[in-house]
Amino acid sequence: EERTGPEVWKQTDGAVDIFVHGIGTGGCIAGVGKYLKGKKSDVKVIALEPSEARVHTGAPMAKHGIVGWMPGFHSNFLEGVGLPAAQLSDAPRGVVDEWGHVSTPEAVEMSLKVTREEGIMVGPSA
């Protein structure tokens, strides 16, 4: 709420419609989502999880290779913590409007593509 949200808002001159973020601890997406929705209520927030470990949507934790994403627990920053897996779903909740997922091979492939075609050195979590 105090740093990244205002930075995104300022750098886009408020012309942000969608914020997509891979979940690590959940703090960044929760704070940025809250800030952006406070500025523009129809901003869409999309949370990404590894396809192999969609714990926020009810799947069991499993190994994946997207470093920085999903440390193996449901984030305390995002609504749904403490709920049984059967009660979690892809339905919007809290600041998250949509739950997406990316597999480790997809993340690695895209990071290589961005590096090769755009000259931007990024890792799979980007």
Side-chain angles (χ1 to χ4, degrees):
E1 283 179 75
E2 297 176 11
R3 291 188 175 83
T4 308
E7 182 179 336
V8 169
W9 186 258
K10 182 179 178 184
Q11 289 184 12
T12 63
D13 291 324
V16 58
D17 297 314
I18 301 171
F19 181 72
V20 181
H21 195 280
I23 302 172
T25 65
C28 187
I29 194 167
V32 172
K34 184 177 179 182
Y35 181 86
L36 293 177
K37 285 178 178 286
K39 290 289 201 177
K40 186 177 178 183
S41 62
D42 62 343
V43 167
K44 187 173 185 177
V45 176
I46 301 173
L48 298 178
E49 298 182 282
S51 299
E52 302 90 344
R54 299 191 71 202
V55 299
H56 289 88
T57 54
M61 182 60 193
K63 290 177 80 172
H64 65 85
I66 306 176
V67 177
W69 281 20
M70 295 301 301
F73 59 86
H74 190 294
S75 170
N76 287 329
F77 294 105
L78 300 173
E79 287 189 24
V81 69
L83 291 176
Q87 292 182 18
L88 297 173
S89 70
D90 287 342
R93 64 180 181 274
V95 298
V96 178
D97 298 298
E98 186 177 321
W99 298 88
H101 60 96
V102 178
S103 71
T104 297
E106 290 171 322
V108 170
E109 180 182 336
M110 185 55 72
S111 69
L112 294 172
K113 182 178 179 178
V114 169
T115 299
R116 202 173 36 250
E117 295 180 12
E118 304 296 330
I120 302 169
M121 302 294 285
V122 297
S125 66

